[in-house]
Amino acid sequence: MAPKTGEMLHLRGNALNKGEPVALPLTQSSMYHLPGLPEGQASYGRVDNPTWEHLEHVLSHLEDAPCLTFPSGMGAISAALFATVRAGSRLLIPSDGYYVTRLLADRFLSGLGVVVEERPTTAFADGGFDRFDVVFVESPSNPGLDMIDLCAVAEQVRAAGGMTIADNTTLTPLGQRPLDLGIDIVVSSDTKAMGGHSDLLMGHVASRNDQIMERVEEWRRVSGAIPGPHEAWLLHRGLETLDVRFDRMCSSAQVLAERLAAHPAVKQLRYPGLPDDPSFALAQRQTQRFGFLLSLTLNSEDQAERFINACPLLRPATSFGGVHSSAERRARWGDDVDPAFIRLSVGCEPVEELWQAIEASLNAL
């Protein structure tokens, strides 16, 4: 069920007492006045903060599930994995997903006795899921935008006795709802579209399994992987415009994808909203929106660099999901893609103005 974003905007307001501020206060404190026994009261800044707590209330409304926040997307992914694997566990992750997730698994989890296996998203279900304790998926994959049937994966993994984690950063709870499709745990980098203004690092974990969330909360508390209150305040403010930003970004991405697909300088284009895209049929069934990310491949690395750097309405930057459109060659980070492969994140600029700038940059190649 899609979240009621209008109701979300009034979650705080409808609980206010007369004279209280409508805007969420920023509580910047590591200590609380705590005479006597501490039970039932805020105790220490690593454990409690009213700003995070209201933010988590809003995120829980969006996910329709309990949520906990973290200081980055990788903080959320780390918490979900450390809460679910142990020495001897078998973990399956996508070989074409976000590369830092693979680094975490290879450099740290494998050294602690976790057996890690990788599969590409397009062949992720090949071989089944027997013997895997935790299966981590991305759909769409980042940066390739391949998709996988989350409902089928969740059902098969559960039947085999395992647990699923889905990274939903690229689509947000407004574009795709993995928990409704049977996934056990959702992780997200809220640094991206959820915050939306390229001015914070944050992440969250959501699950309807109380035991999992207890483990995730314990990991946060004892590891110290807590969000800063100012970042939590910024994310809360960003969420208040998520609905309008996400709608604009997805609508513009559809227009741009259709036009880019017809441009002679573009060798290959991927966008789940195009009828001839390999992910289109699944995206129609599984998502509420096709997203704001698209990928295009030009004829050479030099062309890709010149296109990005010459376009005045594209920021040459890593990350995505901001109000400013941005683009980058993902091969520069070691992703297994064509050197001329570009991940383009569509922002909130007027679409015709944005297209004119993109088209002019392509025409100049």
Side-chain angles (χ1 to χ4, degrees), residues 26-354:
L26 171 58
T27 301
Q28 190 81 47
S29 183
S30 62
M31 300 172 67
Y32 296 91
H33 181 63
L34 201 63
L37 296 175
E39 284 81 1
Q41 301 294 324
S43 59
Y44 180 51
R46 179 166 45 78
V47 181
D48 305 287
N49 182 279
T51 308
W52 317 332
E53 288 164 7
H54 185 70
L55 169 64
E56 290 167 353
H57 180 47
V58 172
L59 288 168
S60 295
H61 179 83
L62 286 176
E63 294 282 13
D64 192 23
C67 282
L68 289 166
T69 50
F70 292 85
S72 67
M74 282 309 303
I77 289 170
S78 298
L81 288 171
F82 276 95
T84 54
V85 300
R86 54 181 51 85
S89 293
R90 297 183 62 86
L91 169 66
L92 179 63
I93 60 175
S95 60
D96 55 340
Y98 184 46
Y99 75 102
V100 185
T101 305
R102 298 198 303 275
L103 286 178
L104 173 67
D106 179 60
R107 305 280 180 86
F108 293 94
L109 295 179
S110 62
L112 297 173
V114 177
V115 179
V116 180
E117 186 174 323
E118 298 182 9
R119 294 178 187 169
T121 298
T122 53
F124 203 72
D126 292 359
F129 302 108
D130 288 343
R131 302 176 297 107
F132 288 106
D133 300 284
V134 177
V135 173
F136 188 103
V137 296
E138 279 186 25
S139 185
S141 61
N142 174 23
L145 302 182
D146 286 315
M147 295 190 70
I148 188 169
D149 188 328
L150 295 179
C151 187
V153 169
E155 184 178 333
Q156 292 169 33
V157 172
R158 185 170 293 110
M163 186 173 296
T164 49
I165 304 172
D167 185 339
N168 199 38
T169 299
T170 57
L171 285 180
T172 84
L174 301 190
Q176 182 172 254
R177 307 199 50 81
L179 296 177
D180 291 349
L181 298 170
I183 295 293
D184 294 301
I185 306 169
V186 162
V187 294
S188 171
S189 173
D190 300 330
T191 306
K192 314 299 194 294
M194 300 283 274
H197 293 80
S198 309
D199 56 6
L200 64 92
L201 291 170
M202 284 284 284
H204 77 263
V205 176
S207 178
R208 294 169 184 161
N209 183 313
D210 292 339
Q211 290 181 317
I212 289 172
M213 292 306 288
E214 287 172 8
R215 289 279 292 169
V216 172
E217 189 281 328
E218 184 180 21
W219 165 259
R220 182 174 74 172
R221 178 164 32 89
V222 301
S223 70
I226 59 169
H230 184 239
E231 288 77 10
W233 185 87
L234 284 171
L235 177 55
H236 178 269
R237 187 174 64 167
L239 291 177
E240 292 182 328
T241 60
L242 174 61
D243 191 14
V244 291
R245 288 187 290 102
F246 188 69
D247 179 61
R248 176 70 166 266
M249 293 155 71
C250 295
S251 297
S252 295
Q254 183 74 40
V255 172
L256 294 179
E258 292 170 1
R259 295 178 184 181
L260 284 166
H263 196 285
V266 177
K267 186 169 73 173
Q268 184 178 20
L269 186 83
R270 289 297 308 272
Y271 182 67
L274 295 178
D276 60 351
D277 189 272
S279 296
F280 178 70
L282 179 57
Q284 279 191 308
R285 298 197 309 270
Q286 184 164 284
T287 70
Q288 283 69 51
R289 300 298 298 265
F290 295 122
F292 55 86
L293 286 178
L294 52 87
S295 71
L296 61 152
T297 304
L298 303 184
N299 287 303
S300 68
E301 177 180 332
D302 177 66
Q303 280 195 354
E305 288 288 351
R306 285 191 285 126
F307 162 67
I308 295 168
N309 296 329
C311 184
L313 296 191
L314 290 180
R315 292 303 93 222
T318 196
S319 196
F320 56 84
V323 293
H324 314 91
S325 292
S326 61
E328 67 169 340
R329 281 193 324 106
R330 287 302 299 175
R332 68 181 184 167
W333 297 107
D335 283 344
D336 185 19
V337 293
D338 189 297
F341 174 99
I342 296 165
R343 182 180 68 192
L344 195 157
S345 173
V346 179
C348 292
E349 301 89 350
V351 67
E352 293 302 331
E353 186 179 351
L354 180 57

Side-chain angles (χ1 to χ4, degrees), residues 12-28:
R12 174 176 165 77
N14 285 327
L16 291 175
N17 295 316
K18 186 175 181 178
E20 291 183 323
V22 171
L24 178 65
L26 171 58
T27 301
Q28 190 81 47

